[in-house]
Amino acid sequence: MGVHDGHRQRVKEQFERQGLDAFTDIQALELLLFYVQPRKDTNVTAHNLIDEFGTIKNVLESEVDELCQVEGVGHETALFLSLVGQMARRKELRAINRNSVLRSTIDVVHILRPRFEGATVEKAYVLLIDGEYHPIDCVLLAEGGGQKVHINISRLARIALNKRAAGIILAHNHLIRSAAPSNDDLAMTNKIERTLNALEVQLLDHLIFYKSEYYSIKTGEGAHFFSC
């Protein structure tokens, strides 16, 4: 029996009795690390991670190479923490409720925004909508190699036709500056709209996300989210 086994068992029992709300950030991270560092004092590693990144959220959203720079964090531990963070983000993706009605831009934003949280490359999604403004599906169109993403218009058209969408909403993210559209964004939007009009599919909007901001090309307006 290892020197830390008794402590680990007590921590696990406390979690089972009280849940994670009874833990500080350090204690919660210490518990998480039990499962990837079976023979180390994970309290020390947890302190090092919080000292470096400030919060558990920041720890779990950090890149593997950044995590590896922290004392006590090897490659396997960094991969584990990255996996946990990405699983948490996936859990937060809003499922498509086909019975709901999209009544406003904010309804659409609530579906799309979680898909860009923590992204380190540009991504493009299409939200497909029927004639009564029920969402049909949300499909990842493309991922860029960095700060640009290319939308294949032919593929987008095929998806819209195959899903029998009456309208679509495009969305992509920016990694730098702001959510305001670039000239390339505007030109691509116009090109896509012309293609879809010929297919009798309406381009309802093109949203751009950047950190806590989003911008609607349709309305020319942006807004901020304020998260805790």
Side-chain angles (χ1 to χ4, degrees):
M1 194 169 183
V3 65
H4 301 299
D5 288 351
H7 169 68
R8 288 181 176 224
Q9 187 59 35
R10 288 190 295 273
V11 172
K12 291 177 182 179
E13 289 172 355
Q14 181 186 356
F15 170 67
E16 190 170 4
R17 290 192 313 269
Q18 301 177 329
L20 207 59
D21 288 345
F23 286 58
T24 65
D25 280 2
I26 294 288
Q27 291 170 327
L29 194 52
E30 176 189 11
L31 171 61
L32 182 63
L33 290 169
F34 285 173
Y35 298 94
V36 72
Q37 296 187 347
R39 294 179 177 81
K40 292 183 68 173
D41 182 354
T42 61
N43 182 269
V44 173
T45 307
H47 273 282
N48 292 341
L49 285 163
I50 295 298
D51 287 347
E52 177 66 25
F53 297 107
T55 66
I56 286 181
K57 181 177 185 292
N58 291 342
V59 170
L60 297 180
E61 291 182 355
S62 295
E63 296 296 308
V64 169
D65 58 348
E66 295 176 318
L67 294 165
C68 285
Q69 302 303 311
V70 176
E71 185 177 354
V73 177
H75 191 253
E76 286 299 313
T77 297
L79 281 176
F80 175 76
L81 292 171
S82 178
L83 171 62
V84 171
Q86 292 184 47
M87 289 292 285
R89 286 198 295 275
R90 179 167 291 192
K91 175 180 176 292
E92 291 304 313
L93 295 184
R94 180 169 293 215
I96 299 297
N97 178 0
R98 296 189 179 189
N99 293 320
S100 63
V101 178
L102 300 175
R103 302 182 186 281
S104 66
T105 299
I106 198 67
D107 290 341
V108 174
V109 168
H110 284 160
I111 293 174
L112 291 169
R113 182 176 176 247
R115 288 163 167 78
F116 298 104
E117 289 183 350
T120 57
V121 297
E122 284 201 4
K123 300 180 180 183
Y125 283 88
V126 56
L127 181 62
L128 300 123
I129 299 167
D130 70 16
E132 297 181 343
Y133 291 90
H134 299 123
I136 299 170
D137 200 358
C138 187
V139 177
L140 177 65
L141 288 174
E143 288 186 299
Q147 295 178 3
K148 284 193 175 182
V149 63
H150 173 71
I151 297 175
N152 184 316
I153 299 178
S154 295
R155 178 170 180 259
L156 171 60
R158 286 196 302 273
I159 291 170
L161 291 175
N162 288 341
K163 297 284 187 178
R164 299 182 179 179
I168 69 161
I169 295 177
L170 283 175
H172 81 278
N173 61 316
H174 283 175
L175 299 180
I176 57 174
R177 292 190 297 274
S178 74
S182 66
N183 290 334
D184 286 345
D185 292 334
L186 295 173
M188 177 60 71
T189 302
N190 289 333
K191 188 174 181 181
I192 289 171
E193 186 166 29
R194 289 195 300 271
T195 300
L196 293 177
N197 282 344
L199 302 173
E200 298 185 344
V201 178
Q202 187 177 3
L203 177 60
L204 299 169
D205 206 345
H206 183 174
L207 300 177
I208 302 173
F209 293 86
Y210 171 74
K211 294 186 177 180
S212 62
E213 306 172 18
Y214 76 88
Y215 186 97
S216 162
I217 288 182
K218 177 183 178 181
T219 66
E221 295 177 349
H224 287 267
F225 286 89
F226 297 96
S227 52
C228 345

